[in-house]
Amino acid sequence: GAGVSQSPRYKVAKRGQDVALRCDPISGHVSLFWYQQALGQGPEFLTYFQNEAQLDKSGLPSDRFFAERPEGSVSTLKIQRTQQEDSAVYLCASSLGASGGSYNEQFFGPGTRLTVL
Amino acid sequence: AQRVTQPEKLLSVFKGAPVELKCNYSYSGSPELFWYVQYSRQRLQLLLRHISRESIKGFTADLNKGETSFHLKKPFAQEEDSAMYYCALQGGGADGLTFGKGTHLIIQP
């Protein structure tokens, strides 16, 4: 079956613009995660959803970052007033079960590469 | 705070030679440790996890709580092992993974 998909794959924004990044998880997966991966770094956790509930947003770097998953499936990560330091690859991952510390394999999407000029 | 350290940014070995990618972690409780791999132009994927104690593609990793390490090993490297390898930790009820910065493994023919 289809894996996690993300769109767009590439996004160029001018500083100050708002952007919206979309994630389509594997069908039926309860958990959804967003990560930010800067150049030369490992992925860093941003936020976690269990169905439509955002249970952890401790990794969001500022209030310019907002994520939602209104129907418990597709998720959107929105970045307002983008800054150059927001340039990174944004990864989405989903897992079958609920998280909360117990392990469920996370399946990653291909990522969206955001470049802020 | 939890942390994962991969001291080698780049590791180059010849085909057939042994490989060891180092990973050290900082965490006060009992973490779950993983190795993820990203082949060229492919997405990040799970290679192995310590709780399953399995060998995947000839790779093994042993959790050493005394040394807080989870090094990835393979006795005989193959060219297709060339990739980025990330060590990751999950613990304390946190839902997200904490990743290291990654090691770029290059297997020379």
Side-chain angles (χ1 to χ4, degrees):
Chain A
V4 178
S5 61
Q6 293 185 244
S7 61
R9 293 293 312 278
Y10 302 91
K11 177 70 179 177
V12 178
K14 291 184 179 178
R15 190 170 51 185
Q17 279 186 330
D18 297 348
V19 298
L21 312 180
R22 176 186 169 108
C23 172
D24 284 81
I26 294 172
S27 178
H29 276 199
V30 167
S31 296
L32 186 146
F33 306 81
W34 283 99
Y35 294 85
Q36 180 191 58
Q37 185 172 20
L39 189 64
Q41 305 294 314
E44 291 193 5
F45 170 76
L46 293 178
T47 187
Y48 161 66
F49 289 87
Q50 182 177 311
N51 295 308
E52 69 280 0
Q54 189 174 19
L55 299 187
D56 186 349
K57 52 183 181 179
S58 62
L60 295 177
S62 78
D63 58 7
R64 295 186 295 105
F65 286 71
F66 172 76
E68 60 184 4
R69 195 187 184 197
E71 297 178 359
S73 179
V74 171
S75 177
T76 303
L77 176 67
K78 297 179 180 178
I79 309 173
Q80 296 177 322
R81 305 180 304 281
T82 52
Q83 304 294 315
Q84 284 189 321
E85 61 261 29
D86 299 335
S87 295
V89 175
Y90 291 84
L91 296 170
C92 176
S94 70
S95 65
L96 181 60
S99 188
S102 61
Y103 174 69
N104 276 280
E105 180 176 352
Q106 293 186 25
F107 294 86
F108 283 81
T112 295
R113 182 178 297 278
L114 173 65
T115 302
V116 181
L117 303 177
Chain B
Q2 51 201 42
R3 182 181 299 167
V4 175
T5 302
Q6 294 180 250
E8 302 135 331
K9 200 168 184 176
L10 173 67
L11 183 63
S12 179
V13 301
F14 286 102
K15 176 182 171 182
V19 172
E20 182 179 49
L21 287 83
K22 291 185 168 50
C23 172
N24 289 87
Y25 66 90
S26 172
Y27 182 67
S28 57
S30 294
E32 296 189 48
L33 275 297
F34 312 91
W35 277 98
Y36 278 79
V37 61
Q38 187 167 26
Y39 300 103
S40 179
R41 287 185 283 278
Q42 293 188 27
R43 59 188 67 191
L44 198 61
Q45 60 186 282
L46 178 66
L47 179 62
L48 56 80
R49 51 201 183 199
H50 89 272
I51 55 172
S52 59
R53 294 182 159 273
E54 56 194 347
S55 173
I56 303 292
K57 298 184 178 183
F59 284 97
T60 59
D62 290 320
L63 178 60
N64 185 323
K65 292 186 178 181
E67 296 183 359
T68 59
S69 68
F70 188 56
H71 303 327
L72 183 67
K73 300 177 183 179
K74 184 170 183 176
F76 307 103
Q78 299 173 296
E79 288 185 68
E80 55 264 33
D81 296 330
S82 295
M84 280 294 298
Y85 290 80
Y86 295 94
C87 183
L89 174 157
Q90 183 178 47
D95 304 297
L97 295 166
T98 299
F99 285 88
K101 292 186 177 183
T103 297
H104 186 188
L105 176 64
I106 297 174
I107 308 300
Q108 298 189 50

